[in-house]
C-alpha cells in the first residue's frame, strides 16, 4: 500500500496569526502532525503544502523536505480548498508517483493520534464500495434537537418542528465534521474534488480529540488537554 499524507499549512491566518509554527508545549504546531504522520504504519510519503518559507523551514527540521512552495493562486483566502489537493496529486503523478490513498492531515488538529490515521486508512481500505473517509464527532450539547433559532419577530422558536424537552437517550445520533483525518482514493478526489459525497464513510473521533485550532481560545483548550494527557 502506498499512502501520501498531505499536510496543508498556509502562512496567513486571521484567527491566530502564525499558528502553524506557534510553539505548542515547546513544539511548533505543525510538528505535532508531522510526527504523527511519520509514525504511521501506512504513510509512505509526506508532502507539506505551504506558501511560507518559514513553515517550510520548520517542516524540514522535522525531517520532511519541502521541494516547492504552494503557488500563490492556491494560497489566498478565496482559493478553493480542493485546489491544492488536486494540484499536489497531479504534480506527483507527473513525476511518476502514484498512491493508493491520499490522507489530508491538518496541523490544526494536534490532538489526533497516529492510530486515528491508521484506522481511518484501514476503514477505507476495507470498504471497496466507498471512496473516502472523514473524521466526525457525535454532536451532544449542540444536537439539533436542543437548538433554537430566532423568528421574524426576534422570538426563539425550535430548530425542529415543535418545542419540546427531550432527554439525550430519546434522540438519534448526529455528527459534525471535525478536522482529524480525511482519506480518499486519488481518482475519486480528482473526479469529485471533495472528501464529502455519497460514498463517504465516517471515522468517529471522540470529543477529547476533536478540538481544532481556530483562535486563541481553542489554543488554550488544546494546550490544557495535552498537558494533562502527557502527565
Amino acid at each position: 500500500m502506498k499512502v501520501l499524507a498531505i499536510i496543508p499549512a498556509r502562512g496567513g491566518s486571521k484567527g491566530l496569526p502564525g499558528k502553524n509554527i506557534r510553539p505548542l508545549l515547546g513544539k511548533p504546531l505543525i510538528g505535532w502532525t508531522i510526527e504523527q504522520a511519520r509514525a504511521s504504519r501506512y504513510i509512505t510519503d509526506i508532502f507539506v503544502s505551504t506558501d511560507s518559507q518559514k513553515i517550510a523551514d520548520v517542516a524540514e527540521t522535522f525531517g520532511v523536505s519541502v521541494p516547492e512552495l504552494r503557488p500563490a493562486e492556491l494560497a489566498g483566502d478565496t482559493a478553493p480548498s480542493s485546489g491544492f489537493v488536486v494540484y499536489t496529486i497531479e504534480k506527483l503523478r507527473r513525476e511518476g508517483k502514484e498512491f493508493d490513498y491520499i490522507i489530508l492531515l491538518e496541523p490544526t488538529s494536534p490532538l489526533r493520534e497516529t492510530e486515528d490515521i491508521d484506522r481511518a486508512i484501514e476503514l477505507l481500505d476495507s470498504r471497496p464500495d466507498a471512496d473516502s473517509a472523514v473524521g466526525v464527532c457525535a454532536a451532544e450539547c449542540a444536537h439539533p434537537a436542543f437548538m433554537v433559532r430566532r423568528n421574524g419577530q426576534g422570538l426563539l422558536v425550535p430548530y425542529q418542528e415543535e418545542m419540546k424537552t427531550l432527554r439525550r437517550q430519546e434522540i438519534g445520533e448526529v455528527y459534525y465534521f471535525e478536522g482529524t483525518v480525511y482519506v480518499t482514493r486519488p481518482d475519486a478526489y480528482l473526479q469529485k474534488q471533495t472528501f464529502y459525497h455519497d460514498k463517504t464513510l465516517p471515522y468517529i473521533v471522540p470529543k477529547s480529540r476533536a478540538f481544532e485550532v481556530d483562535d486563541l481560545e481553542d489554543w488554550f483548550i488544546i494546550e490544557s488537554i495535552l498537558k494533562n494527557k502527557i502527565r
Side-chain angles (χ1 to χ4, degrees), residues 157-218:
V157 295
Y159 181 81
Q160 57 183 23
E161 293 182 4
E162 58 179 321
M163 183 78 79
K164 58 182 178 179
T165 302
L166 295 172
R167 294 183 305 160
R168 187 173 298 172
Q169 297 90 332
E170 297 175 317
I171 59 177
E173 287 189 338
V174 296
Y175 301 89
Y176 64 89
F177 293 118
E178 55 83 60
T180 298
V181 289
Y182 307 81
V183 193
T184 186
R185 303 181 197 278
D187 286 340
Y189 194 90
L190 291 176
Q191 178 185 359
K192 299 173 181 178
Q193 299 198 9
T194 180
F195 291 94
Y196 309 116
H197 44 72
D198 59 347
K199 291 187 177 182
T200 299
L201 294 166
Y203 175 75
I204 301 173
V205 178
K207 182 180 178 181
S208 61
R209 299 205 295 272
F211 291 96
E212 297 179 84
V213 177
D214 288 322
D215 53 33
L216 192 58
E217 184 178 33
D218 297 329

Side-chain angles (χ1 to χ4, degrees), residues 4 39 41 58 127-129 134 150 155 193 201 204 214 218:
L4 170 69
R41 296 169 55 196
V58 170
R127 291 286 300 271
D129 58 319
V134 301
R150 291 188 298 175
L155 300 173
Q193 299 198 9
L201 294 166
I204 301 173
D214 288 322
D218 297 329

Side-chain angles (χ1 to χ4, degrees), residues 13-193:
S13 172
K14 292 183 171 61
L16 187 60
K19 65 183 178 183
N20 284 309
I21 55 176
R22 180 187 174 102
L24 177 62
L25 299 187
K27 184 188 305 180
L29 182 63
I30 193 173
W32 292 85
T33 293
I34 291 175
E35 289 184 346
Q36 292 155 4
R38 295 192 67 185
S40 168
R41 296 169 55 196
Y42 303 114
I43 290 174
T44 54
D45 295 78
I46 300 174
F47 188 95
V48 172
S49 177
T50 182
D51 60 329
S52 165
Q53 188 59 53
K54 286 184 179 180
I55 293 176
D57 292 342
V58 170
E60 292 190 351
T61 68
F62 284 86
V64 177
S65 175
V66 182
E68 66 170 29
L69 297 183
R70 189 189 303 182
E73 63 271 19
L74 299 177
D77 291 337
T78 60
S81 57
S82 62
F84 71 87
V85 180
V86 171
Y87 172 85
T88 302
I89 294 172
E90 293 180 338
K91 164 187 164 55
L92 294 179
R93 280 189 166 179
R94 288 193 298 270
E95 297 174 2
K97 298 177 181 178
E98 294 285 347
F99 298 92
D100 299 292
Y101 299 104
I102 306 294
I103 185 165
L104 184 73
L105 300 174
E106 296 180 325
T108 48
S109 293
L111 295 175
R112 86 168 63 76
E113 297 180 357
T114 296
E115 71 175 24
D116 293 316
I117 296 172
D118 290 345
R119 288 179 179 176
I121 294 169
E122 291 168 352
L123 173 64
L124 183 56
D125 190 56
S126 70
R127 291 286 300 271
D129 58 319
D131 285 330
S132 69
V134 301
V136 298
C137 184
E140 296 174 353
C141 295
H143 193 289
F146 302 131
M147 290 187 171
V148 292
R149 59 185 175 82
R150 291 188 298 175
N151 64 12
Q153 290 75 46
L155 300 173
L156 290 179
V157 295
Y159 181 81
Q160 57 183 23
E161 293 182 4
E162 58 179 321
M163 183 78 79
K164 58 182 178 179
T165 302
L166 295 172
R167 294 183 305 160
R168 187 173 298 172
Q169 297 90 332
E170 297 175 317
I171 59 177
E173 287 189 338
V174 296
Y175 301 89
Y176 64 89
F177 293 118
E178 55 83 60
T180 298
V181 289
Y182 307 81
V183 193
T184 186
R185 303 181 197 278
D187 286 340
Y189 194 90
L190 291 176
Q191 178 185 359
K192 299 173 181 178
Q193 299 198 9

